[in-house]
Amino acid sequence: MEDSSKTNQELVKEISLLKQRIEGLERLERERKRMEEALRASQAQSSGATDIVLSQAKVLSGLLRICSSCKKIRNDEGGWEQMEEYIRDRSEMNFSHTYCPECAEKLRSQLHHKK
C-alpha cells in the first residue's frame, strides 16, 4: 500500500508542477500577444506619421533656370518669377528679408557718400 500511496503522491506533485508550468507558459503567451499588439500599434502610428510628413512635404527638384543678374526664375510656362515667389508657391517655404553684413556695409557706405 505504501508504494502505491507514494506513487500517487509523486504523481500529484508532478501534476502540480505541470500545472504551474502550463500557467507560466500561458502568462508568457499572453505577454507575447500584448507585445505584438503594442508593436503593431507603434508601427501603425509610425507609418501614419510618416505618411503625414510625406504628404505635407513639397520638394523642389531638377534644374532651375535663373537669371544671372536679377535672380528671377524661369517657370514652366516660360515666364519669369521672383525667386521668393517661385519657391514659396512650390514649397512650404516663406521668406523674411534682411541684409547680410557685407550688403549692409555697402548700403551704409552708399548712403554716406550721397550726403
Side-chain angles (χ1 to χ4, degrees):
M1 242 2 202
E2 274 186 40
D3 288 341
S4 68
S5 160
K6 201 175 190 183
T7 306
N8 284 342
Q9 288 176 347
E10 289 173 356
L11 288 173
V12 168
K13 189 175 182 179
E14 284 182 28
I15 289 171
S16 176
L17 289 173
L18 287 173
K19 283 182 181 179
Q20 288 175 355
R21 286 183 181 171
I22 289 170
E23 288 171 0
L25 290 171
E26 288 172 343
R27 275 193 303 274
L28 288 172
E29 180 63 13
R30 285 191 301 272
E31 181 63 23
R32 184 190 66 77
K33 285 181 180 179
R34 276 195 299 271
M35 292 177 84
E36 278 182 355
E37 289 172 14
L39 179 61
R40 278 193 210 100
S42 175
Q43 287 172 334
Q45 185 179 13
S46 175
S47 176
T50 301
D51 291 345
I52 289 169
V53 168
L54 289 176
S55 71
Q56 291 176 346
K58 290 186 178 180
V59 178
L60 293 175
S61 64
L63 183 65
L64 288 178
R65 294 167 292 182
I66 186 167
C67 175
S68 297
S69 178
C70 69
K71 306 302 181 204
K72 286 184 180 178
I73 296 176
R74 189 160 188 186
N75 61 28
D76 294 335
E77 292 80 36
W80 292 89
E81 297 180 49
Q82 286 295 120
M83 179 176 23
E84 296 89 345
E85 292 172 7
Y86 183 91
I87 294 172
R88 183 196 62 222
D89 293 346
R90 290 162 179 80
S91 71
E92 297 296 320
M93 184 68 62
N94 286 310
F95 289 85
S96 171
H97 291 86
T98 187
Y99 293 103
C100 71
E102 292 172 12
C103 290
E105 184 58 39
K106 284 181 193 176
L107 287 171
R108 273 191 228 107
S109 152
Q110 289 173 358
L111 287 173
H112 183 67
H113 281 80
K114 287 184 178 182
K115 289 182 180 180

